[in-house]
């Protein structure tokens, strides 16, 4: 208990330090069971009985399972699989792409389909770094539970996470998660003593609690999430040349396209702060009739500033083929400074009824609800060094929806269907069937453009442009049909799958970074294959996707996408479990989207192909009792064929580096 108390004090001090830094921000990244009845060590099992607390005595639930009357209990993951994948890109199975370094803007590699009706802010590139309300784990612990995690990622990429949870009473638990990560610039610096070498830094905090009444009729789940993420923008690396004039295409030590700041001038700098309050509670009048309410209050602040605008706009070092290579398009008005603030506030309530009934081993679930969203987005931008303009959008949206689920007696198969309709004409329809061997379904979404896509004003970009008589953006349409088989034979398991998309009124950002809408339909077909072969202590697993498109070329994705893991596992000295292997990843060459920091949006480009390179990471995962460790050589094959490769236009993949990490569970 003493160790947990000291850990609690340490973590609280870390949290307060992060919030103190935030206050100085200028302008403001998977059968239905009964609920557990475990208690704390003092109220339940006596410590003197020699019962050892551990992963099996620490369980948690997810809101989605409570919401759908599944009430599934989860235990802590003590396996070693994928412990070595410590970056956010690797955790997504490489289906997200950043700008080569931890903490830089991220985007999905494949087409994302909106999952919720209602206008969104449009600022999303740091979202993967934030805790998500629906992923919060609500614990029931028999003893104080602590998880301490640190990853020293090599090339000055470091992640620290500290989680703690404890039961206050047998039915009430509280806890918190704290994360901190930083990364340093890999190019465009004056050396190790450069005072501006810090590239990205992130603070993330989750406070969570859950409560059940004595008769289990009332359940409360609540969390508060904060993210404070900042980034020095570099715009990419400039190609170099040797003393004899030979080009250096992979210039890892080159200058950045955007100038860094100084003591007198703030260089290009982006910042995002999020605060989300989330509450879900329900009351069971009867199994077939339950009342629930879900509340969300969210605030989001996005900030961009460049006091070196004139240098970044006209610097002679950005010349290409004898002409000035400007980073920003033409500046409107004063060219000495660029500043942009966007603030989004959302207050959302969902009221509904739901229930479950059972008949001959099968169960039937239903849900009907009313959802009301009140939101406001305001944007402030400078017209000179001291003058500003402001504009905003305030709206109320109302939606009604229903959900049906049928669970077959085998407990492995289910059929679900859902529909939602908005007062403004938006709607969402989806259905899915799941069984031991097949998962298939489809959805059709008619959804509003984001608020940023609807309107944006600055000294660089202005849309919509009234002088051009542009029509308002229409609602976007996404049809998505999918299917996946799960087939096993002895030690081999394969998962062939197929995804089909039909998109209309697609909104994108063109080569100049200006919003556009493509009225013509775009179809995308993506067959895929997942595979997992276990031969004794050897394992080979991964995924392969092949993508073909028809229609206007405004959605850019790699035709071929491959992940492969080759691994060998063994036990050393009867106590040390070891997995060692190699991770391989490949995307075929394609014109990936470029990034514009002013709008915090990715946009299409036609000047530089990226990827087309096999990335190899060597690793070893180790476990001693409940402690998991990893050591890793990232980009181990750098220089074997080429010195490197680009993961995004003007941004190189991180150089070879050595990473180390520890994940340590404590249960007292």
């Amino acid at each position: 208990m003493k160790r947990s108390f000291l850990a609690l004090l340490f973590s609280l001090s870390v949290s307060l330090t992060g919030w103190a830094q935030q206050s100085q921000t200028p302008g403001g990244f998977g059968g239905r069971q009964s609920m557990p009845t475990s208690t704390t060590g003092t109220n339940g099992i006596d410590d003197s009985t020699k019962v050892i607390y551990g992963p099996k005595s620490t369980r948690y639930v997810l809101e989605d399972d409570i919401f759908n009357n599944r009430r599934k209990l989860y235990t802590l993951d003590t396996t070693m699989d994928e412990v070595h994948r410590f970056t956010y890109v690797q955790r997504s199975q490489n289906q997200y792409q950043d700008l080569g370094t931890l903490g830089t803007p991220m985007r999905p590699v494949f087409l994302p389909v909106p999952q919720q009706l209602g206008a969104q802010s449009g600022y999303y590139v740091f979202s993967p770094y934030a805790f998500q309300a629906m992923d919060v784990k609500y614990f029931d612990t028999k003893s104080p539970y602590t998880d301490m995690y640190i990853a020293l990622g090599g090339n000055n990429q470091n992640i620290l996470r500290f989680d703690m949870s404890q039961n206050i009473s047998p039915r009430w638990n509280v806890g918190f998660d704290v994360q901190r990560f930083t990364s340093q610039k890999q190019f465009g610096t004056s050396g190790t003593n450069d005072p501006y070498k810090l590239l990205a830094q992130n603070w993330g905090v989750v406070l969570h609690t859950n409560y059940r009444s004595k008769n289990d009729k009332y359940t409360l789940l609540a969390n508060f999430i904060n993210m404070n993420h900042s980034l020095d923008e570099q715009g990419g690396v400039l190609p170099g040349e040797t003393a004899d004039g030979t080009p250096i295409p992979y210039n890892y030590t080159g200058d950045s396209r955007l100038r860094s700041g100084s003591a007198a001038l703030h260089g290009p700098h982006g910042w995002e702060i999020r605060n989300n309050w989330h509450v879900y509670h329900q009351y069971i009048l009867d199994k077939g009739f339950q009342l629930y309410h879900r509340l969300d209050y969210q605030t989001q602040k996005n900030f961009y500033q460049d006091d070196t605008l004139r240098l970044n706009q006209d610097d002679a070092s950005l010349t290409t083929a004898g002409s000035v290579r400007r980073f920003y398009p033409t500046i409107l008005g004063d060219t000495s400074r660029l500043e942009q603030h966007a603030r989004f506030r959302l207050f959302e309530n969902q009221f509904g009824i739901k229930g479950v009934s059972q008949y001959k081993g099968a169960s039937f679930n239903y849900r009907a609800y009313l959802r009301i969203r009140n939101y406001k987005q305001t944007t402030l931008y400078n017209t000179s060094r001291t003058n500003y303009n402001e504009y905003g959008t305030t709206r109320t949206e109302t939606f009604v929806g229903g959900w049906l689920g049928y669970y077959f007696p085998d407990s492995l198969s289910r059929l679900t269907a859902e529909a939602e309709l908005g007062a403004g004409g938006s709607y969402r329809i989806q259905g899915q069937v799941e069984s031991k061997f097949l998962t298939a379904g489809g959805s059709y979404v008619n959804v509003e453009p984001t608020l940023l896509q609807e309107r944006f004003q600055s000294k660089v970009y202005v849309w919509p442009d009234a002088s051009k008589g542009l029509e308002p953006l229409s609602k976007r349409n996404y049809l998505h049909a999918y299917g996946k088989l799960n087939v096993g034979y002895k030690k081999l398991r394969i998962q062939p799958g197929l995804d089909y998309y039909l998109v209309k009124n697609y909104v994108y950002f063109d080569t100049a970074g200006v919003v556009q809408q493509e009225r013509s339909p775009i179809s995308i077909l993506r067959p895929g294959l997942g595979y997992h072969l276990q031969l004794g202590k050897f394992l080979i697993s991964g995924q392969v996707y092949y993508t073909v498109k028809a229609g206007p070329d405004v959605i850019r994705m790699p035709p071929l996408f491959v992940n492969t893991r080759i691994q060998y596992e063994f036990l050393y000295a009867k106590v040390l479990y070891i997995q060692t292997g190699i991770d391989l990843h490949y995307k075929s060459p394609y014109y990936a989207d470029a990034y514009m920091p002013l709008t915090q949006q990715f946009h299409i480009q036609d000047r530089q192909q990226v990827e087309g390179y096999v990335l190899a990471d060597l690793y070893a995962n180790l476990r001693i009792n409940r402690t998991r460790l990893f050591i890793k050589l990232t980009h181990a094959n750098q220089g074997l064929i080429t010195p490197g490769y680009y993961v995004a236009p003007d941004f190189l993949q991180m150089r070879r580096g050595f990473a180390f990490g520890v994940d340590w569970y404590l249960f007292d």
Side-chain angles (χ1 to χ4, degrees):
M1 292 296 293
K2 180 179 180 182
R3 180 169 54 186
S4 294
F5 178 73
L6 292 175
L8 173 62
L9 291 179
F10 167 76
S11 190
L12 286 175
S13 66
V14 170
S15 304
L16 292 173
T17 303
W19 291 329
Q21 289 191 3
Q22 172 185 315
S23 66
Q24 300 170 5
T25 303
F29 154 203
R32 186 170 185 266
Q33 303 180 29
S34 61
M35 288 292 287
T37 57
S38 60
T39 63
T40 62
T42 56
N43 294 330
I45 300 175
D46 188 346
D47 290 336
S48 64
T49 62
K50 299 182 181 180
V51 174
I52 299 176
Y53 302 122
K56 293 184 179 180
S57 68
T58 303
R59 298 183 176 185
Y60 64 88
V61 296
L62 299 175
E63 181 177 325
D64 189 61
D65 292 315
I66 298 292
F67 189 47
N68 291 298
N69 292 305
R70 289 195 293 264
R71 291 195 168 185
K72 184 177 180 180
L73 290 176
Y74 300 86
T75 56
L76 297 172
D77 182 12
T78 57
T79 65
M80 295 184 292
D81 287 340
E82 302 186 3
V83 171
H84 60 283
R85 295 178 176 174
F86 65 96
T87 69
Y88 289 80
V89 169
Q90 295 163 353
R91 293 179 196 175
S92 73
Q93 305 295 325
N94 297 302
Q95 294 193 31
Y96 271 80
Q97 182 59 63
D98 60 14
L99 302 182
T101 309
L102 176 67
T104 52
M106 296 182 68
R107 67 174 184 89
V109 173
F110 300 116
L111 174 70
V113 176
Q115 299 299 309
Q116 186 184 56
L117 297 184
Q120 308 297 318
S121 71
Y123 293 91
Y124 68 94
V125 296
F126 301 127
S127 296
Y129 300 121
F131 290 106
Q132 304 299 315
M134 298 305 294
D135 294 335
V136 172
K137 300 175 181 178
Y138 297 99
F139 283 91
D140 180 11
T141 63
K142 292 185 177 181
S143 64
Y145 157 67
T146 304
D147 180 14
M148 295 187 293
Y149 175 87
I150 185 171
L152 306 178
N155 295 308
N156 298 302
Q157 300 181 103
N158 303 309
I159 303 174
L160 172 66
R161 193 184 70 240
F162 188 94
D163 306 342
M164 186 173 181
S165 182
Q166 180 173 355
N167 273 27
I168 304 301
S169 72
R171 295 177 302 278
W172 180 25
N173 179 277
V174 297
F176 62 87
D177 306 343
V178 179
Q179 76 170 8
R180 165 72 169 170
F181 69 75
T182 61
S183 64
Q184 293 186 9
K185 297 173 182 176
Q186 303 301 304
F187 56 86
T189 68
S190 59
T192 57
N193 295 324
D194 189 336
Y196 304 100
K197 64 183 179 182
L198 187 63
L199 176 65
Q201 53 182 329
N202 176 286
W203 279 100
V205 177
V206 177
L207 307 176
H208 59 84
T209 186
N210 69 93
Y211 170 79
R212 293 176 294 112
S213 63
K214 191 172 183 179
N215 59 7
D216 277 349
K217 287 186 175 294
Y218 180 75
T219 300
L220 170 70
L221 309 174
N223 65 67
F224 167 73
I225 295 176
N226 168 267
M227 183 188 74
N228 187 351
H229 189 96
S230 65
L231 176 72
D232 273 7
E233 299 286 0
Q234 294 188 284
V237 64
L238 288 170
E241 59 181 32
T242 62
D244 61 0
T246 304
I248 306 176
Y250 307 106
N251 193 16
Y252 276 97
T253 59
D255 293 327
S256 60
R257 294 187 65 199
L258 289 173
R259 289 291 188 92
S260 298
S262 64
L265 297 174
H266 291 288
H269 189 78
W271 208 300
E272 179 171 313
I273 298 175
R274 295 187 179 196
N275 290 293
N276 298 341
W277 298 87
H278 177 81
V279 177
Y280 172 82
H281 55 143
Q282 67 178 35
Y283 186 79
I284 302 175
L285 296 171
D286 183 82
K287 282 188 177 181
F289 190 79
Q290 307 167 17
L291 303 175
Y292 76 88
H293 172 229
R294 179 179 278 165
L295 167 69
D296 287 280
Y297 179 70
Q298 304 174 8
T299 61
Q300 181 179 346
K301 300 178 182 179
N302 291 79
F303 172 83
Y304 181 73
Q305 179 177 337
D306 185 357
D307 284 347
T308 59
L309 178 60
R310 187 170 292 136
L311 292 175
N312 288 324
Q313 183 66 5
D314 299 317
D315 190 349
S317 67
L318 300 183
T319 58
T320 302
S323 61
V324 175
R325 180 181 174 186
R326 299 175 182 270
F327 185 84
Y328 302 107
T330 303
I331 304 298
L332 305 175
D334 177 63
T335 61
S336 63
R337 186 168 186 260
L338 193 60
E339 185 175 347
Q340 199 83 12
H341 302 254
R343 289 175 171 83
F344 177 73
R345 185 188 67 214
L346 170 68
F347 187 71
E348 179 173 326
N349 281 282
Q350 183 179 145
F351 305 91
I353 58 173
K354 64 189 183 81
V356 57
S357 62
Q358 295 181 329
Y359 179 73
K360 293 185 178 181
S363 63
F364 173 80
N365 283 10
Y366 77 92
R367 182 168 65 247
Y369 60 88
L370 171 69
R371 187 163 65 97
I372 303 173
R373 305 174 81 239
N374 298 280
Y375 62 85
K376 180 179 182 180
Q377 180 154 301
T378 59
T379 303
L380 180 76
Y381 65 97
N382 73 308
T383 57
S384 67
R385 292 198 69 87
T386 57
N387 295 322
Y388 297 83
N389 282 345
E390 185 176 21
Y391 64 94
T393 302
T394 303
R395 292 177 187 157
T396 298
E397 297 175 324
T398 303
F399 303 89
V400 294
W403 179 90
L404 298 174
Y406 180 76
Y407 298 80
F408 293 87
D410 63 3
S411 74
L412 298 175
S413 305
R414 61 184 175 183
L415 178 65
T416 59
E418 184 173 6
E420 187 176 37
L421 175 64
S426 60
Y427 57 89
R428 174 175 57 91
I429 303 172
Q430 62 187 59
Q432 180 171 282
V433 59
E434 298 175 69
S435 69
K436 181 178 180 181
F437 300 105
L438 170 68
T439 299
S443 65
Y444 188 84
V445 182
N446 182 44
V447 65
E448 301 84 351
T450 68
L451 297 175
L452 183 143
Q453 291 171 345
E454 286 184 356
R455 185 180 182 186
F456 186 82
Q457 293 179 209
S458 69
K459 293 204 303 178
V460 177
Y461 296 108
V462 176
W463 64 72
D465 188 347
S467 65
K468 296 181 179 180
L470 295 179
E471 298 179 3
L473 297 178
S474 302
K475 289 182 173 62
R476 301 167 291 163
N477 301 300
Y478 295 82
L479 171 66
H480 179 206
Y482 58 90
K484 181 175 67 175
L485 294 173
N486 187 13
V487 181
Y489 178 73
K490 294 184 178 180
K491 300 296 184 179
L492 174 65
R493 187 174 74 249
I494 61 173
Q495 293 180 320
L498 183 67
D499 287 83
Y500 173 74
Y501 302 86
L502 179 62
V503 185
K504 296 181 180 179
N505 296 329
Y506 181 69
V507 178
Y508 67 101
F509 295 84
D510 63 18
T511 55
V514 177
V515 72
Q516 302 288 346
Q517 185 163 45
E518 179 53 61
R519 309 284 177 174
S520 301
I522 304 169
S523 60
I524 300 170
L525 186 67
R526 189 179 74 228
L529 177 67
Y531 51 92
H532 185 282
L533 176 62
Q534 185 82 51
L535 297 174
K537 298 180 180 180
F538 284 95
L539 168 71
I540 178 169
S541 64
Q543 308 87 30
V544 178
Y545 298 103
Y546 185 74
T547 304
V548 293
K549 299 180 296 181
D553 187 23
V554 295
I555 303 176
R556 308 290 175 82
M557 294 178 289
L560 183 62
F561 176 102
V562 182
N563 286 326
T564 294
R565 174 164 53 120
I566 303 172
Q567 179 177 282
Y568 179 73
E569 181 174 344
F570 62 97
L571 177 64
Y572 179 75
K574 298 182 180 181
V575 294
L576 180 61
Y577 294 88
I578 301 175
Q579 291 178 343
T580 184
I582 182 171
D583 259 342
L584 302 172
H585 174 65
Y586 174 80
K587 300 186 191 78
S588 53
Y590 73 114
Y591 288 97
D593 290 353
Y595 180 67
M596 169 49 69
L598 170 60
T599 58
Q600 295 187 11
Q601 303 297 306
F602 284 90
H603 63 89
I604 62 173
Q605 56 87 29
D606 300 312
R607 61 180 178 82
Q608 183 183 29
Q609 280 195 330
V610 303
E611 295 290 351
Y613 182 97
V614 177
L615 175 66
D617 294 338
L618 301 176
Y619 68 89
N621 298 326
L622 306 93
R623 179 164 61 88
I624 304 175
N625 295 326
R626 300 163 183 162
T627 302
R628 300 180 296 178
L629 308 92
F630 74 84
I631 53 176
K632 184 175 183 178
L633 182 64
T634 62
H635 200 173
N637 58 326
Q638 183 190 9
L640 296 183
I641 300 176
T642 62
Y645 72 104
Y646 287 91
V647 297
D650 302 312
F651 287 93
L652 290 160
Q653 171 64 35
M654 181 72 67
R655 290 172 289 185
R656 183 187 298 112
F658 179 78
F660 169 79
V662 179
D663 192 5
W664 187 15
Y665 288 149
L666 300 173
F667 298 95
D668 54 17

